[in-house]
Amino acid sequence: MKKLLLLLLITTFSFAQNANRNYLSHSWKNNLLEIKTSDGTYRIKPYSDKIVETSFVPNGESFNANSHAVIKTPEKIKTAVSKTDHSISLFTKDITVVINKSPFRITYSNKGKVLLSEKNGYIKKDSTEVLQFNLDNSEVLFGGGARALGMNRRGNRLALYNRAHYGYETRAELMNFCIPLVLSSKLYAVHFDNAAIGHLDLDSKKNNTLEYETISGRKTYQVIVGDTWEDLVANYTDLTGKQPMPARWTFGNFSSRFGYHTQEEVEKTINRFNSDGIPVDAIILDLYWFGKTVQGTMGNLEWDKEQFPNPEKMIADLKTKGVKTILITEPFILTTSSKWQEAVDKKILVTDKTGKPATWDFYFGNTSVVDIFKPEGNQWFWNVYKRLINQGVGGMWGDLGEPEVFPSKAITAAGKADEVHNIYGHNWAKLIADGYQRDFPNQRPFILMRAGYSGSQRFGMMPWSGDVSRSWGGLQSQMEIAMQMGMQGMAYMHSDLGGFAGDYFDNELYLRWLQYGVFNPIFRPHAQEDVASEVTYKDVHTKAKAKKAVELRYQLMPYNYTLAFENNQKGTPLMRPLFFEEPTNEKLLNEKESYLWGNAFLIKPITIPLPEEPFYSEIYFPKSSNWFEFYTGEKHFGGKSDFVKIEEDHIPTFVRGGSFVPMIETIPNTSKYSVDNFNLHFYFDETVKTSTGKLYNDNGETPQAFEKGQYEILNFISNNNGKELVIKLASTVGKNYTATDKTVSVLIHNIKAKRIFVNGQEMVFKTFNEPLLIPVTWKKGTTPEIKIEY
């Protein structure tokens, strides 16, 4: 079989060759296969059965082992290397790498299926270096970071240069967050492990070529494979890091705008939320906390005491109401700011070639930027954050971290601006995360940023999609951006709900965006101050409908927090494309609006204004399950499309047959959160014989609570034999967690019961309503059982 496979790989892509590259020799030791060629050396290293790294080191260069993305240590796995007169092959359990000697080429396969091969491989141009690969003509490509291009990004040449796109709508080729990662519908990924700026060409010339081009740096890439999409993402996040568990309040409602000018305005806003009975967990202060004007004050990073006379008291008072205070910060220090001379004296700024602080003009004024790659700059910036955290600030917003304007003349301790541009936000997030871990080890950081790099998720970064247009076009791009970024490890990508840029006023748009936001990683309305973004400042009619969306967000808190745990453990995105369910369904590979919210929900956002007459939207239901409307219970059969009537007060929301959905009643904010009393919805489907679900719970604050044994997992199991349904509740309790008794209202949908037994005792109901409500007292350490004859 191996001989047949080798023959297949040697003959496949026979057009793939570099006539000037000749094989010289090879060696295999210490888990490293080195191939010496006439123009350099290939270093091929397995990280696991499903990840192999390849580096090319041109003659005259030395290997650079420093990766800003990879944190995984190579596993001890069973590998083998074989050779023939014509080739050398490296085998892991899943990946085979074949190096053909003449013509020279490298081919990667997964379990006998050819994935890709180097075309010309490494190419040196006048000012750039290129890595070039063959594609087959059928594969669909994803990745490249945050873009609005359609789900299939093949055919585009993508700049790798983090840059803001103000007011974008349905097409945005370059945005704040670039990632040099390509994922294929053939269930493999290629990550180009180099931070310098460049381009990622996804077959723009339509000659079946993938090309990575950079100005400098490592010629290293990892090939990653997976058996499923979830497995592929899990393997990539094993390589680059998993997202830490966010604080539970992260999943609540944010009060945010550009911006609150005074302490009085902040307090008035939260008081309005409270008087309106609208849940809220945090308020975000934009630029005005450190200056009365937008221009000229950036870099002050101190409270403007005229506008905020007693910030410590304000923060403390908000905290007693269960509301966190989050502050915006930027890395830019203007020459007009109060911190300028201090920054110059302490030598914490990027420099020009003479060693003096590099300065340039941009919208906010004449500026430089903190050199976070320099230990002194890093420590200086962290001291700013440490002071604010000690004042009670609960989260940090890092804005303009592309950096928004970062001319090539600037020099940092880690290299020239263009070499570190794309990792500035990445290392800024690391600075904050490391500081919390060192100085506030009992707090989970909240780090809101719009720019980063491969692996930024491991620092707990919460990315958002930048200054999107407040328009229907702006909304239409958001699902694609969030799904794509979730596939690339950044599972908390979200948007300014309601849209940010412009003064377009449309309450229907606002409501649709918030209804979509219920099933988003972060629920954060935000906008320029021309139109209020906060629910509490809307008119009575709009406020009532928006309040329902906020309340549903809180009711879903147990389910959403459990999604966060799954992401933390496995890297699984919270928002998942439908092709995760049907990888071979070509139509779904381009679906950019409908998505899965966790495993249980199918969501179809409404992204166009509706006519006054009844409107129906065609929705496809994945064939793996039957689906039930969340609001009406209507059943839709998997594997087909239905036209669904669109309602004003919610977007189409469906639950997978056999799913468990834990929920709670609405709470004012997460300071009142408890699952001592919760609702457990089960969506019965007679075709589902067995299913499972869970609820993850901890104190919502302690970092690595799961690893420390400070958690409980409530497990739910269903078994259906066609005559009776049995539901069992069981718990797994960490060694350092104190469990409590619980009251569970089990609501079973879509079943016509004849008899009901709880722990062997028959329950008598006058009527069996829909859904069937069964109260269960769950004593800690017990495993309650519900049996329903139907």
Side-chain angles (χ1 to χ4, degrees):
M1 178 64 188
K2 280 189 176 180
K3 288 183 178 180
L4 179 62
L5 174 60
L6 292 176
L7 179 62
L8 172 66
L9 294 174
I10 291 168
T11 56
T12 302
F13 297 126
S14 60
F15 54 84
Q17 57 186 285
N18 185 333
N20 297 319
R21 181 167 298 127
N22 298 312
Y23 165 85
L24 299 179
S25 65
H26 75 275
S27 65
W28 168 247
K29 59 183 178 181
N30 300 325
N31 200 45
L32 177 68
L33 176 61
E34 281 199 345
I35 310 289
K36 293 192 179 300
T37 72
S38 52
D39 61 343
T41 301
Y42 280 91
R43 297 167 53 93
I44 303 175
K45 177 172 63 175
Y47 270 81
S48 72
D49 285 325
K50 296 184 177 181
I51 305 172
V52 171
E53 177 180 277
T54 299
S55 299
F56 183 74
V57 184
N59 289 336
E61 293 187 18
S62 57
F63 175 62
N64 176 7
N66 183 34
S67 170
H68 298 280
V70 172
I71 62 168
K72 184 178 177 65
T73 301
E75 298 174 14
K76 293 181 179 179
I77 57 170
K78 185 178 179 180
T79 57
V81 171
S82 67
K83 60 181 180 178
T84 69
D85 291 341
H86 304 288
S87 66
I88 303 101
S89 300
L90 169 63
F91 298 92
T92 73
K93 178 174 171 289
D94 293 274
I95 298 178
T96 300
V97 186
V98 175
I99 301 95
N100 196 62
K101 293 180 180 179
S102 181
F104 187 90
R105 64 181 173 271
I106 303 179
T107 304
Y108 301 86
S109 69
N110 177 18
K111 297 179 180 177
K113 178 183 177 183
V114 173
L115 301 177
L116 81 165
S117 69
E118 287 199 356
K119 192 166 190 173
N120 284 312
Y122 172 76
I123 306 166
K124 173 67 174 172
K125 294 187 177 181
D126 290 339
S127 59
T128 62
E129 298 172 280
V130 172
L131 295 173
Q132 193 182 78
F133 301 81
N134 290 296
L135 300 167
D136 74 32
N137 58 14
S138 65
E139 59 191 304
V140 172
L141 302 179
F142 311 92
R147 323 264 176 171
L149 298 166
M151 286 298 285
N152 183 2
R153 294 180 171 177
R154 186 166 182 165
N156 290 283
R157 186 171 186 263
L158 306 176
L160 296 173
Y161 187 88
N162 293 349
R163 175 176 286 165
H165 184 160
Y166 178 82
Y168 70 91
E169 291 191 321
T170 55
R171 187 166 182 87
E173 296 183 15
L174 180 60
M175 294 178 65
N176 314 71
F177 207 125
C178 300
I179 298 178
L181 174 69
V182 182
L183 302 102
S184 167
S185 56
K186 292 166 68 174
L187 287 177
Y188 73 86
V190 186
H191 175 247
F192 297 98
D193 192 359
N194 182 34
I197 67 172
H199 284 85
L200 197 56
D201 192 314
L202 308 184
D203 196 27
S204 67
K205 298 174 184 175
K206 303 194 184 309
N207 60 354
N208 297 324
T209 302
L210 168 65
E211 196 168 272
Y212 170 73
E213 184 175 12
T214 182
I215 60 166
S216 64
R218 285 155 55 91
K219 277 68 71 174
T220 294
Y221 61 91
Q222 293 92 24
V223 175
I224 307 150
V225 303
D227 298 326
T228 63
W229 278 106
E230 290 89 345
D231 185 40
L232 180 60
V233 175
N235 295 332
Y236 169 72
T237 52
D238 277 349
L239 182 71
T240 60
K242 296 287 196 288
Q243 182 107 16
M245 278 294 290
R248 186 156 39 230
W249 64 264
T250 302
F251 297 92
N253 176 33
F254 289 71
S255 177
S256 183
R257 68 157 62 189
F258 179 31
Y260 301 109
H261 293 257
T262 65
Q263 181 172 331
E264 181 183 13
E265 191 176 353
V266 169
E267 293 167 342
K268 175 187 172 185
T269 298
I270 294 303
N271 287 338
R272 281 193 62 141
F273 272 98
N274 291 340
S275 62
D276 285 336
I278 300 169
V280 62
D281 258 276
I283 187 163
I284 300 182
L285 277 60
D286 213 310
L287 300 169
Y288 300 113
W289 75 271
F290 56 70
K292 297 177 186 63
T293 59
V294 171
Q295 293 175 308
T297 61
M298 189 173 288
N300 286 352
L301 298 173
E302 298 273 4
W303 291 96
D304 180 345
K305 288 300 185 71
E306 288 186 27
Q307 305 300 101
F308 294 87
N310 197 340
E312 290 90 348
K313 183 178 186 304
M314 178 191 76
I315 294 168
D317 289 347
L318 292 172
K319 191 174 182 179
T320 62
K321 297 176 181 179
V323 177
K324 302 291 189 295
T325 302
I326 300 167
L327 300 184
I328 195 172
T329 58
E330 302 87 3
F332 294 94
I333 311 295
L334 300 190
T335 56
T336 56
S337 79
S338 60
K339 286 278 193 291
W340 174 255
Q341 195 56 49
E342 177 187 334
V344 172
D345 293 344
K346 294 192 174 181
K347 298 184 167 116
I348 58 141
L349 301 171
V350 299
T351 64
D352 59 23
K353 61 184 178 182
T354 70
K356 295 180 179 179
T359 59
W360 57 90
D361 292 328
F362 79 142
Y363 173 77
F364 298 94
N366 186 252
T367 195
S368 188
V369 75
V370 178
D371 187 352
I372 61 172
F373 302 99
K374 188 176 184 180
E376 296 87 346
N378 187 296
Q379 186 59 50
W380 181 89
F381 214 176
W382 170 245
N383 287 340
V384 171
Y385 290 115
K386 186 176 180 179
R387 169 174 50 81
L388 295 170
I389 296 166
N390 281 325
Q391 290 177 346
V393 171
M396 298 302 168
W397 174 8
D399 199 13
L400 313 182
E402 295 75 27
E404 182 162 299
V405 181
F406 199 30
S408 299
K409 68 178 183 180
I411 300 170
T412 77
K416 297 177 181 178
D418 288 348
E419 294 172 324
V420 301
H421 177 93
N422 287 342
I423 54 168
Y424 192 95
H426 180 77
N427 282 271
W428 187 11
K430 181 179 187 299
L431 178 163
I432 299 173
D434 287 350
Y436 265 97
Q437 193 170 30
R438 183 177 58 249
D439 295 332
F440 304 97
N442 296 320
Q443 291 186 42
R444 299 181 191 176
F446 177 84
I447 306 171
L448 178 68
M449 290 191 174
R450 72 185 194 187
Y453 179 66
S454 313
S456 289
Q457 70 274 357
R458 67 177 179 265
F459 306 128
M461 183 191 288
M462 302 289 163
W464 92 97
S465 60
D467 295 338
V468 58
S469 168
R470 185 191 287 139
S471 65
W472 290 99
L475 173 58
Q476 287 160 16
S477 60
Q478 295 310 305
M479 288 61 69
E480 173 197 344
I481 294 169
M483 284 190 284
Q484 289 265 2
M485 287 294 277
M487 292 166 64
Q488 298 171 73
M490 301 301 301
Y492 287 85
M493 174 57 78
H494 64 287
S495 63
D496 292 340
L497 299 183
F500 175 80
D503 58 2
Y504 180 70
F505 181 79
D506 186 334
N507 280 333
E508 183 184 5
L509 170 66
Y510 177 81
L511 288 169
R512 291 306 189 192
W513 216 316
L514 262 63
Q515 290 164 3
Y516 158 63
V518 170
F519 304 96
N520 246 217
I522 306 292
F523 190 93
R524 186 182 57 84
H526 180 70
Q528 291 173 327
E529 56 191 332
D530 306 281
V531 181
S533 58
E534 305 94 337
V535 173
T536 193
Y537 284 124
K538 293 297 180 180
D539 64 85
V540 174
H541 180 73
T542 306
K543 184 191 299 186
K545 292 181 179 178
K547 183 180 178 181
K548 286 185 178 180
V550 177
E551 289 173 341
L552 179 57
R553 175 72 176 185
Y554 278 83
Q555 291 161 18
L556 286 167
M557 189 74 68
Y559 178 83
N560 292 347
Y561 196 62
T562 304
L563 293 189
F565 175 67
E566 291 177 354
N567 171 259
N568 165 251
Q569 294 294 301
K570 301 176 183 177
T572 313
L574 286 74
M575 291 176 64
R576 305 165 193 175
L578 294 190
F579 59 73
F580 273 42
E581 290 286 303
E582 296 182 35
T584 59
N585 187 333
E586 294 182 5
K587 291 182 179 179
L588 294 185
L589 293 172
N590 293 300
E591 173 54 53
K592 64 178 184 177
E593 288 197 352
S594 295
Y595 64 93
L596 300 169
W597 178 243
N599 190 58
F601 285 96
L602 169 62
I603 308 298
K604 174 65 168 70
I606 300 302
T607 61
I608 58 172
L610 297 189
E612 292 194 10
E613 64 269 14
F615 181 82
Y616 292 81
S617 179
E618 186 176 14
I619 299 172
Y620 176 76
F621 296 92
K623 65 183 180 182
S624 49
S625 305
N626 295 320
W627 301 83
F628 297 88
E629 291 198 27
F630 182 68
Y631 296 95
T632 68
E634 183 179 347
K635 184 176 182 179
H636 298 270
F637 291 96
K640 68 188 202 63
S641 297
D642 283 344
F643 283 91
V644 175
K645 185 181 179 183
I646 305 305
E647 303 293 346
E648 185 181 10
D649 60 350
H650 61 265
I651 57 175
T653 304
F654 309 91
V655 186
R656 184 194 301 271
S659 291
F660 290 94
V661 180
M663 298 176 68
I664 57 171
E665 299 300 321
T666 304
I667 52 178
N669 52 53
T670 53
S671 68
K672 305 297 183 184
Y673 181 86
S674 171
V675 292
D676 285 351
N677 190 330
F678 71 96
N679 302 324
L680 179 62
H681 294 260
F682 178 71
Y683 287 79
F684 176 68
D685 181 354
E686 63 275 10
T687 67
V688 177
K689 300 307 177 187
T690 185
S691 67
T692 61
K694 65 175 177 284
L695 187 164
Y696 173 79
N697 188 42
D698 58 24
N699 68 8
E701 297 175 355
T702 302
Q704 294 188 303
F706 178 74
E707 289 75 13
K708 294 172 181 175
Q710 299 175 17
Y711 71 93
E712 64 179 342
I713 299 176
L714 309 182
N715 297 293
F716 320 122
I717 307 102
S718 80
N719 287 286
N720 164 37
N721 64 10
K723 293 182 179 180
E724 64 180 24
L725 169 69
V726 177
I727 292 177
K728 294 182 180 180
L729 311 181
S731 62
T732 304
V733 180
K735 63 181 180 180
N736 295 315
Y737 188 87
T738 302
T740 57
D741 296 343
K742 293 175 171 54
T743 300
V744 186
S745 297
V746 180
L747 296 102
I748 303 179
H749 300 254
N750 320 309
I751 194 168
K752 293 182 178 179
K754 294 178 180 177
R755 301 177 73 191
I756 301 171
F757 299 84
V758 177
N759 297 328
Q761 293 288 112
E762 185 169 7
M763 298 187 67
V764 179
F765 292 86
K766 290 183 179 180
T767 58
F768 292 134
N769 295 321
E770 167 64 26
L772 191 61
L773 172 59
I774 304 171
V776 176
T777 300
W778 188 353
K779 296 289 185 180
K780 63 181 181 181
T782 66
T783 54
E785 179 180 283
I786 300 169
K787 184 169 72 173
I788 301 171
E789 296 177 359
Y790 66 92

